[in-house]
Amino acid sequence: MKQHSEFAHFVDLVALMGRSDFDSSLLIYLNQWIQSKYFSILRVKDKTPALLLCGTQDDSYAIPWNCGQSYVKRYHHYDNLYQELFNKDMQQHQIATGCVCADDIIFEPYRNEIYEKNGLIQRLCGLCRDEHNHPILFNLYRHKDQGFYAKHEIESFEKMIPALAKMIQGHLALKEKFQQKDFRHQLLLQQSDLTHQELEVCIRILKGMSYIGIAQDLVLKETTVKTYRNRAFDKLGINLKSQLFSMFIHS
């Protein structure tokens, strides 16, 4: 009976691929085997990480979002677990897994802002590569109220991550396909006077791309990208990227 219930949950999760409900349902599904407070998914392209997804089961969505953005902007190079997994000799279809405790993180600002500030004590990580060979990280975070991951939970994660990686990549591909259209639609609802280039720059900012990456993608100078950004922000009545993100944080 339990096996049937687990299969039903898995089918339900697959049915949500590409939809925003997938993010909030992922931890609920995983909590049958691995109790976690938050999750995040990042992709590293040209040595630059971008936060693709993050989530929680409660209403503190801002915590994984803010942690993800801090990691991307300031602390990626201090993540020894990522470096360890990245440097493993593995084929594209293979997956590396690892675990780190907050107390073992050497760089204090990274440990304080991501972990200690939010009561996080441990992280499970699975690293796979997408069709372009870019690393994708799937992270599960344990809160101090939950205690450390048990041995059977870590073993469950290691067994499940190959199937989860394929599911997540499928979800990301579907979400990216529909999200760009949704970003464009929502931005135009906010301000119908946005030009094509202003829209393209805002969409890529929302996808987590750096200004250098946006410039390369749109075949523009970085200064030109920032000019389009400034014009778009003026029309939207905002000044910061965080304000742009906040327009979509619950989408």
Coordinates of all heavy atoms in Angstrom, one line a residue, residues 186-200 202 226-240 243-244 247:
Q186 N 3.9 39.5 -18.6 CA 3.7 40.2 -17.4 C 4.4 41.6 -17.4 O 3.9 42.6 -16.8 CB 4.3 39.4 -16.2 CG 3.5 38.1 -15.9 CD 2.1 38.4 -15.5 OE1 1.9 39.4 -14.8 NE2 1.2 37.6 -15.9
L187 N 5.6 41.7 -18.0 CA 6.3 42.9 -18.2 C 5.4 43.9 -19.0 O 5.3 45.1 -18.6 CB 7.6 42.8 -18.8 CG 8.7 42.2 -17.9 CD1 9.9 41.7 -18.7 CD2 9.2 43.2 -16.8
L188 N 4.8 43.4 -20.0 CA 4.0 44.3 -20.9 C 2.7 44.7 -20.2 O 2.2 45.8 -20.4 CB 3.7 43.6 -22.2 CG 4.9 43.5 -23.2 CD1 4.5 42.7 -24.4 CD2 5.3 44.9 -23.7
L189 N 2.2 43.9 -19.3 CA 1.1 44.3 -18.5 C 1.5 45.4 -17.5 O 0.7 46.3 -17.3 CB 0.6 43.1 -17.7 CG -0.2 42.0 -18.4 CD1 -0.6 40.9 -17.5 CD2 -1.5 42.6 -19.1
Q190 N 2.7 45.3 -17.0 CA 3.2 46.4 -16.1 C 3.4 47.7 -16.8 O 3.2 48.8 -16.3 CB 4.5 45.9 -15.4 CG 4.3 44.7 -14.5 CD 3.7 45.1 -13.1 OE1 3.7 46.3 -12.8 NE2 3.2 44.2 -12.4
Q191 N 4.0 47.6 -18.1 CA 4.3 48.8 -18.8 C 4.4 48.4 -20.3 O 5.3 47.8 -20.8 CB 5.7 49.3 -18.4 CG 6.2 50.5 -19.1 CD 5.2 51.6 -19.2 OE1 4.5 51.8 -20.3 NE2 5.0 52.4 -18.2
S192 N 3.3 48.8 -21.0 CA 3.1 48.4 -22.4 C 4.1 49.2 -23.3 O 4.3 48.9 -24.5 CB 1.7 48.7 -22.9 OG 1.4 50.1 -22.7
D193 N 4.8 50.2 -22.8 CA 5.7 51.0 -23.7 C 7.1 50.5 -23.7 O 8.0 51.1 -24.4 CB 5.8 52.5 -23.1 CG 4.5 53.2 -23.3 OD1 3.7 52.9 -24.2 OD2 4.2 54.2 -22.6
L194 N 7.4 49.3 -23.1 CA 8.7 48.7 -23.1 C 9.0 48.3 -24.6 O 8.2 47.7 -25.3 CB 8.8 47.5 -22.2 CG 8.8 47.8 -20.7 CD1 8.6 46.5 -20.0 CD2 10.0 48.5 -20.3
T195 N 10.2 48.7 -25.0 CA 10.6 48.3 -26.4 C 11.1 46.8 -26.4 O 11.3 46.2 -25.3 CB 11.8 49.2 -26.9 OG1 13.0 48.9 -26.1 CG2 11.5 50.6 -26.8
H196 N 11.3 46.3 -27.6 CA 11.7 44.9 -27.7 C 13.0 44.7 -27.0 O 13.2 43.7 -26.3 CB 11.9 44.6 -29.2 CG 12.5 43.2 -29.5 ND1 11.8 42.0 -29.3 CD2 13.8 42.9 -29.9 CE1 12.6 41.0 -29.6 NE2 13.8 41.5 -29.9
Q197 N 14.0 45.5 -27.2 CA 15.3 45.4 -26.5 C 15.2 45.5 -25.0 O 15.9 44.8 -24.3 CB 16.3 46.4 -27.1 CG 16.7 46.1 -28.5 CD 17.7 44.9 -28.7 OE1 17.4 43.8 -28.1 NE2 18.7 45.0 -29.5
E198 N 14.4 46.4 -24.5 CA 14.2 46.6 -23.1 C 13.6 45.3 -22.5 O 14.0 44.9 -21.4 CB 13.3 47.8 -22.8 CG 14.0 49.1 -23.1 CD 13.1 50.3 -23.3 OE1 11.9 50.1 -23.1 OE2 13.6 51.4 -23.5
L199 N 12.6 44.8 -23.2 CA 12.0 43.5 -22.8 C 13.0 42.4 -22.7 O 13.1 41.6 -21.7 CB 10.9 43.1 -23.7 CG 9.5 43.8 -23.5 CD1 8.6 43.5 -24.7 CD2 8.9 43.3 -22.2
E200 N 13.9 42.2 -23.8 CA 14.8 41.2 -23.8 C 15.8 41.3 -22.7 O 16.2 40.2 -22.1 CB 15.5 41.2 -25.2 CG 14.6 40.8 -26.4 CD 14.0 39.5 -26.3 OE1 14.6 38.5 -25.8 OE2 12.8 39.4 -26.6
C202 N 15.3 42.7 -19.7 CA 14.6 42.4 -18.4 C 14.4 40.9 -18.3 O 14.5 40.4 -17.2 CB 13.3 43.2 -18.4 SG 13.5 44.9 -18.0
K226 N 23.1 48.0 -20.2 CA 22.8 48.7 -19.0 C 21.9 50.0 -19.3 O 21.1 50.4 -18.5 CB 24.0 49.1 -18.3 CG 24.7 48.0 -17.6 CD 26.0 48.4 -16.8 CE 26.6 47.1 -16.2 NZ 27.9 47.5 -15.4
T227 N 22.1 50.5 -20.5 CA 21.3 51.6 -21.0 C 19.8 51.1 -21.2 O 18.9 51.8 -20.7 CB 21.8 52.2 -22.3 OG1 23.1 52.7 -22.1 CG2 20.9 53.3 -22.8
Y228 N 19.7 50.0 -21.8 CA 18.3 49.4 -22.0 C 17.7 49.1 -20.6 O 16.5 49.3 -20.4 CB 18.3 48.2 -22.9 CG 18.6 48.4 -24.3 CD1 19.5 47.8 -25.1 CD2 17.7 49.4 -25.0 CE1 19.7 48.0 -26.4 CE2 17.9 49.6 -26.4 CZ 18.9 48.9 -27.1 OH 19.1 49.2 -28.4
R229 N 18.5 48.6 -19.7 CA 18.0 48.3 -18.4 C 17.5 49.5 -17.7 O 16.4 49.5 -17.1 CB 19.2 47.7 -17.5 CG 18.8 47.5 -16.1 CD 20.0 47.5 -15.2 NE 20.7 48.8 -15.3 CZ 21.9 49.0 -14.7 NH1 22.6 48.0 -14.1 NH2 22.5 50.2 -14.8
N230 N 18.3 50.6 -17.8 CA 17.9 51.8 -17.1 C 16.6 52.4 -17.7 O 15.8 52.9 -16.9 CB 19.1 52.9 -17.2 CG 20.3 52.5 -16.4 OD1 20.2 51.7 -15.5 ND2 21.4 53.0 -16.8
R231 N 16.5 52.3 -19.0 CA 15.3 52.8 -19.7 C 14.1 52.0 -19.2 O 13.0 52.6 -18.9 CB 15.4 52.8 -21.2 CG 16.4 53.8 -21.7 CD 16.6 53.6 -23.2 NE 17.6 54.5 -23.8 CZ 18.0 54.5 -25.1 NH1 17.5 53.5 -25.9 NH2 18.9 55.3 -25.5
A232 N 14.3 50.7 -19.2 CA 13.2 49.8 -18.8 C 12.8 50.1 -17.3 O 11.6 50.1 -17.0 CB 13.6 48.3 -19.0
F233 N 13.8 50.2 -16.4 CA 13.5 50.4 -15.0 C 12.8 51.8 -14.8 O 11.9 51.9 -14.0 CB 14.8 50.4 -14.2 CG 15.3 49.0 -13.9 CD1 14.8 47.9 -14.6 CD2 16.3 48.8 -13.0 CE1 15.3 46.6 -14.4 CE2 16.8 47.5 -12.7 CZ 16.3 46.5 -13.4
D234 N 13.2 52.8 -15.6 CA 12.5 54.1 -15.5 C 11.0 53.9 -15.8 O 10.1 54.5 -15.2 CB 13.1 55.1 -16.4 CG 14.4 55.6 -15.9 OD1 14.7 55.5 -14.7 OD2 15.2 56.2 -16.7
K235 N 10.7 53.2 -16.9 CA 9.3 53.0 -17.3 C 8.5 52.2 -16.3 O 7.3 52.4 -16.1 CB 9.3 52.3 -18.7 CG 9.8 53.2 -19.8 CD 9.8 52.4 -21.2 CE 10.3 53.3 -22.3 NZ 10.4 52.6 -23.6
L236 N 9.2 51.2 -15.7 CA 8.6 50.3 -14.7 C 8.5 51.0 -13.3 O 7.8 50.5 -12.4 CB 9.3 49.0 -14.6 CG 9.2 48.1 -15.8 CD1 10.3 47.0 -15.7 CD2 7.9 47.5 -15.9
G237 N 9.2 52.1 -13.1 CA 9.1 52.8 -11.9 C 9.9 52.2 -10.8 O 9.6 52.2 -9.6
I238 N 11.0 51.5 -11.2 CA 11.9 50.8 -10.2 C 13.3 51.3 -10.4 O 13.7 51.9 -11.4 CB 11.8 49.3 -10.3 CG1 12.2 48.8 -11.7 CG2 10.4 48.8 -10.0 CD1 12.3 47.3 -11.9
N239 N 14.2 51.0 -9.4 CA 15.6 51.4 -9.5 C 16.6 50.2 -9.4 O 17.7 50.3 -9.8 CB 15.9 52.4 -8.3 CG 15.1 53.6 -8.4 OD1 15.1 54.3 -9.4 ND2 14.3 53.9 -7.3
L240 N 16.1 49.1 -8.8 CA 17.0 48.0 -8.5 C 16.5 46.6 -9.1 O 15.3 46.5 -9.4 CB 17.1 47.8 -7.0 CG 17.5 49.0 -6.2 CD1 17.4 48.7 -4.7 CD2 19.0 49.4 -6.5
Q243 N 14.0 44.8 -7.1 CA 12.6 45.3 -7.3 C 11.9 44.6 -8.5 O 10.7 44.3 -8.5 CB 12.5 46.8 -7.5 CG 12.9 47.5 -6.2 CD 13.0 49.0 -6.4 OE1 13.8 49.5 -7.2 NE2 12.2 49.8 -5.8
L244 N 12.8 44.3 -9.5 CA 12.3 43.6 -10.7 C 11.9 42.2 -10.3 O 10.9 41.6 -10.7 CB 13.3 43.6 -11.8 CG 12.9 42.9 -13.1 CD1 11.8 43.6 -13.8 CD2 14.2 42.8 -14.1
M247 N 8.6 41.6 -8.5 CA 7.4 41.6 -9.3 C 7.0 40.2 -9.7 O 5.9 39.9 -10.1 CB 7.6 42.5 -10.6 CG 7.9 43.9 -10.3 SD 8.5 44.9 -11.7 CE 7.2 44.6 -12.9

